[in-house]
């Protein structure tokens, strides 16, 4: 480090006198050496600013401090700006909404048209949905678990159960169910005994899960205002699902059952309850003979609960099977069973409450 950086000593630059004698030897007072040293920068005479800078240099002796700003009013160099984080992306729906809406509108037109034109045609629509649903369920069981639930007795018996429920109501439905379960046991005997127990168990489960629950829709249709009862049942279930989807997608943060269905939230459940209760009050007040708005509130609450449990139940089945959808028949929706999951368990609930509130006629 250069000695000049420490500042000039006291008396530097004076002339020697005889009285004082020659200046003492040393590098600081060697004239030849002084000529070789670098001259100090001349600092403008600004009050306090120059003195403060020199004081800092004298204390530290750091060349980097000398090269820094000498005036207080000098602004330090601004740091480089950091890139802004990317804007949060909007939530996207998990399915093709255009296809889902188009298919939903088409199915709704088919159901409502058959419901109010000829009741027998609507019963045929229910039978078709039951048979396709059984085919999807048994196909996935065979593909993923190796379970061979016999489809033929299931399909024939399931169709018979729906028709029996429409013609003979609950008595016919129970008899048809028992005969269908017996047919499953006998049909499976024509094959080797290995896996017999799991095959017939799955078959009996399929009998109860799909056609038996669907017979309550046919039984609702037998009343004088049966078409309006079925429409109320359909509207409440669809509105419950729509409310759960809309509120959960927009506000959902707390998971309802993360181990079963990670996409469902508590906020979505509240949306389902609110939407279904409002729809129930309106339907009972304006569509059902003898119904009142408070009965609709209770029916809407019950449908929101049953639809959610039904959705979770099928999610449990699909998680066990390791699949996302039961089928691919309906674009944007999956399979028929993916649309029946909330309808099937809600059918007996609506049928029973309507019978209690306004009777079976």
């Amino acid at each position: 480090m250069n000695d000049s950086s420490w500042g000039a000593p006291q008396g530097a630059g004076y002339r020697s006198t005889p009285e004082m004698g020659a200046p003492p030897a040393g590098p600081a007072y060697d004239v030849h050496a002084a000529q070789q040293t670098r001259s100090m920068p001349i600092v403008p005479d600004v009050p306090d600013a120059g003195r403060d800078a020199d004081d800092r240099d004298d204390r530290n002796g750091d060349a980097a401090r000398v090269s820094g700003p000498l005036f207080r009013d000098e602004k330090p160099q601004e740091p480089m700006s950091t890139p802004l984080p990317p804007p949060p992306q909007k939530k996207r729906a998990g399915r093709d909404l255009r296809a889902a809406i188009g298919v939903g509108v088409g199915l709704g037109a088919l159901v409502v048209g058959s419901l109010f034109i000829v009741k027998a045609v609507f019963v045929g629509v229910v039978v078709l949905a039951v048979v396709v649903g059984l085919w999807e369920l048994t196909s996935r069981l065979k593909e993923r678990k190796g379970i061979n639930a016999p489809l033929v007795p299931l399909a024939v018996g399931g169709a018979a159960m729906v028709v029996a429920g429409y013609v003979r109501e609950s008595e016919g439905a129970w008899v048809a169910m028992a005969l269908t379960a017996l047919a499953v046991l006998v049909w499976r005997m024509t094959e080797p005994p290995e896996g017999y127990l799991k095959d017939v168990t799955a078959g009996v489960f399929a009998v109860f899960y799909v056609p038996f629950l669907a017979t309550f829709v046919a039984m609702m249709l037998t009343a004088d205002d049966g078409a309006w009862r079925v429409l109320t049942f359909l509207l409440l279930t669809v509105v419950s699902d729509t409310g759960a989807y809309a509120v959960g997608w927009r506000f959902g943060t707390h998971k309802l059952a993360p181990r079963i269905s990670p996409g469902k939230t508590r906020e979505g459940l509240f949306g389902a309850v609110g939407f279904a209760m409002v729809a129930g009050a309106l339907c009972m007040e304006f569509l059902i003979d003898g119904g009142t708005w408070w009965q609709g509130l209770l029916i809407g609450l019950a449908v929101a609960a049953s639809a959610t449990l039904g959705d979770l139940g099928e999610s449990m089945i699909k998680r066990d099977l390791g699949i996302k959808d039961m089928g691919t028949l309906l674009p944007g929706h999956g399979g028929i069973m993916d649309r029946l999951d909330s309808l099937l368990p809600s059918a007996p609930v609506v049928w029973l409450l309507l019978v209690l509130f306004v009777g079976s006629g």
Side-chain angles (χ1 to χ4, degrees):
M1 184 167 57
N2 221 328
D3 288 337
S4 62
S5 63
W6 290 80
Q10 274 190 341
Y14 72 88
R15 292 183 180 181
S16 63
T17 60
E19 294 79 10
M20 297 178 64
Y29 303 98
D30 191 341
V31 176
H32 177 73
Q35 294 176 352
Q36 303 298 323
T37 58
R38 185 175 61 186
S39 60
M40 291 293 293
I42 299 175
V43 180
D45 189 11
V46 178
D48 295 332
R51 184 169 66 250
D52 291 343
D54 290 340
D55 291 342
R56 290 196 301 268
D57 296 339
D58 291 340
R59 285 195 303 268
N60 300 324
D62 193 346
R65 300 291 293 273
V66 175
S67 61
L70 299 180
F71 302 99
R72 290 178 180 176
D73 58 351
E74 285 187 36
K75 295 181 180 180
Q77 185 178 2
E78 296 182 1
M80 297 180 63
S81 60
T82 57
L84 296 176
Q89 296 183 352
K90 296 182 179 180
K91 293 182 180 180
R92 296 182 178 271
R95 298 183 184 273
D96 186 351
L97 284 182
R98 291 184 179 180
I101 293 174
V103 172
V105 171
L107 289 175
L110 173 63
V111 169
V112 173
S114 62
L115 182 61
F116 285 96
I117 295 175
V118 181
K119 290 184 177 181
V121 175
F122 177 77
V123 174
V125 172
V126 176
V127 168
L128 179 62
V130 165
V131 172
V132 175
L134 287 169
W135 169 71
E136 289 179 347
L137 179 60
T138 56
S139 297
R140 301 296 86 79
L141 289 174
K142 185 175 183 179
E143 292 172 1
R144 308 299 298 184
K145 295 293 185 177
I147 299 175
N148 296 310
L151 178 60
V152 173
L154 285 174
V156 174
M161 289 168 62
V162 174
V163 174
Y166 178 67
V167 175
R168 299 299 300 268
E169 299 188 17
S170 58
E171 295 179 359
W174 280 109
V175 172
M177 180 182 178
L179 293 177
T180 302
L182 181 60
V184 169
L185 297 176
V186 174
W187 189 280
R188 180 56 181 80
M189 291 179 183
T190 61
E191 299 178 6
E194 290 77 16
Y196 177 82
L197 183 59
K198 67 176 182 179
D199 292 345
V200 296
T201 302
V204 174
F205 164 74
V207 168
F208 172 81
Y209 183 44
V210 184
F212 178 72
L213 295 180
T215 57
F216 288 93
V217 181
M219 287 190 292
M220 274 188 276
L221 194 60
T222 60
D224 295 335
D225 58 346
W228 296 106
R229 295 192 183 200
V230 174
L231 181 62
T232 298
F233 152 70
L234 295 174
L235 285 176
L236 292 185
T237 309
V238 172
V239 168
S240 173
D241 287 346
T242 303
Y245 175 82
V247 176
W249 178 79
R250 181 64 180 86
F251 303 103
T253 55
H254 301 85
K255 301 298 183 182
L256 178 63
R259 297 184 61 183
I260 301 175
S261 183
K264 291 178 178 56
T265 61
R266 299 175 189 175
E267 292 81 2
L269 177 59
F270 294 146
V273 171
F275 277 54
M277 291 181 71
V278 172
L282 294 175
C283 289
M284 289 297 291
E285 188 69 30
F286 299 106
L287 299 183
I288 304 300
D289 295 336
T292 58
W293 63 270
W294 65 267
Q295 295 171 343
L297 293 177
L298 296 179
I299 294 178
L301 176 62
V303 168
S306 62
T308 301
L309 290 175
D311 201 347
L312 290 175
E314 186 170 351
S315 295
M316 196 77 166
I317 295 173
K318 291 189 289 187
R319 185 167 290 275
D320 185 25
L321 296 177
I323 57 177
K324 180 181 179 180
D325 295 318
M326 281 289 188
T328 58
L329 186 62
L330 304 177
H333 293 267
I336 290 292
M337 285 300 299
D338 297 298
R339 295 302 88 202
L340 297 180
D341 54 359
S342 55
L343 290 168
L344 290 173
S346 298
V349 172
V350 175
W351 174 83
L352 177 61
L353 290 178
L354 287 176
V355 170
L356 293 176
F357 288 150
V358 296
S360 60

